[in-house]
């Protein structure tokens, strides 16, 4: 098995459409310069935390994986039926002298700012929203207003004879 040395990639802390396009252009250019060491275009650009959104009869639950972050690194806001989760995952400070003789064989960790916005249906009660941060996982509970809660009723099925 061969070990391929990977260059250390530092991602910028602020992402705009231009930085994303520049990153894509750089990857395509590297492909044409040396196709044998091509980095696939399917690898993530920047830091995009994994998220789940679940609806229950009482609330919407949003769970976001944010490894290496704490509650003070994350901001959650609500405006016009949209919930926005922002933050920044910063790179750990390393002594530059110590890093000079390091050889990176794999780099999969991402750093930088992130901003995820989700539009929820009308009827969510942001005044009673709850947010908890435990073991690098942010959990938002956005309760539904009473008028939106599902009221179910069983309907009997009759047979014609």
């Amino acid at each position: 098995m061969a070990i391929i040395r990977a260059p250390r990639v530092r991602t910028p802390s602020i992402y705009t459409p231009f930085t994303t396009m520049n990153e894509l252009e750089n990857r395509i250019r590297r492909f044409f310069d040396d196709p044998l060491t091509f980095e696939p275009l399917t690898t993530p650009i920047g830091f995009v935390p994994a998220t789940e959104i679940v609806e229950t009869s009482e609330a919407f639950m949003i769970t976001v994986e944010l490894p290496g972050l704490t509650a003070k690194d994350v901001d959650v806001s609500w405006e016009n039926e949209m919930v926005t989760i922002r933050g920044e995952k910063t790179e750990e400070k390393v002594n530059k002298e110590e890093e000079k003789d390091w050889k990176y064989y794999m780099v999969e960790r991402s750093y930088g700012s992130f901003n995820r916005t989700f539009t929820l249906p009308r009827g969510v009660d942001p005044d009673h929203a709850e947010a908890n941060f435990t073991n690098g996982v942010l959990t938002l509970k956005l309760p539904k207003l009473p008028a939106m809660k599902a009221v179910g009723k069983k309907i009997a099925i009759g047979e014609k004879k």
Side-chain angles (χ1 to χ4, degrees), residues 55-60 78-83 118-126 142-150:
E55 180 181 8
T56 68
S57 61
E58 301 291 318
F60 288 93
W78 173 269
E79 186 176 347
N80 298 329
E81 311 302 328
M82 295 187 296
V83 63
F118 306 100
T119 303
L120 297 174
R122 293 187 187 275
V124 173
D125 185 3
L142 303 162
K144 295 178 182 179
L145 292 168
M148 188 181 178
K149 292 181 183 174

Side-chain angles (χ1 to χ4, degrees), residues 6 9 11 26-28 31 34 52 59 91 102 117 122 136 151 161:
V9 178
T11 57
N26 289 338
R27 289 179 181 190
I28 292 170
F31 170 74
D34 191 1
E52 286 182 349
E91 201 169 354
W102 292 7
T117 300
R122 293 187 187 275
V151 179
K161 291 186 182 187

Side-chain angles (χ1 to χ4, degrees), residues 75-131:
D75 177 57
V76 179
S77 61
W78 173 269
E79 186 176 347
N80 298 329
E81 311 302 328
M82 295 187 296
V83 63
T84 301
I85 303 165
R86 291 183 181 88
E88 183 172 2
K89 184 176 180 185
T90 56
E91 201 169 354
E92 295 149 7
K93 302 297 180 203
V94 177
N95 181 343
K96 296 297 177 191
E97 287 298 316
E98 183 181 328
E99 188 180 20
K100 281 184 180 177
D101 44 312
W102 292 7
K103 295 178 185 172
Y104 289 90
Y105 292 103
M106 181 179 290
V107 178
E108 293 182 342
R109 296 171 68 191
S110 298
Y111 302 94
S113 298
F114 63 91
N115 182 346
R116 304 287 311 263
T117 300
F118 306 100
T119 303
L120 297 174
R122 293 187 187 275
V124 173
D125 185 3
D127 295 329
H128 293 94
E130 299 174 14

Side-chain angles (χ1 to χ4, degrees), residues 31-66:
F31 170 74
F32 287 109
D33 289 345
D34 191 1
L36 296 178
T37 60
F38 176 60
E39 177 184 351
L41 292 174
T42 57
T43 58
I45 297 174
F47 178 58
V48 181
T51 305
E52 286 182 349
I53 301 176
V54 176
E55 180 181 8
T56 68
S57 61
E58 301 291 318
F60 288 93
M61 305 288 286
I62 300 176
T63 306
V64 185
E65 291 181 353
L66 299 167

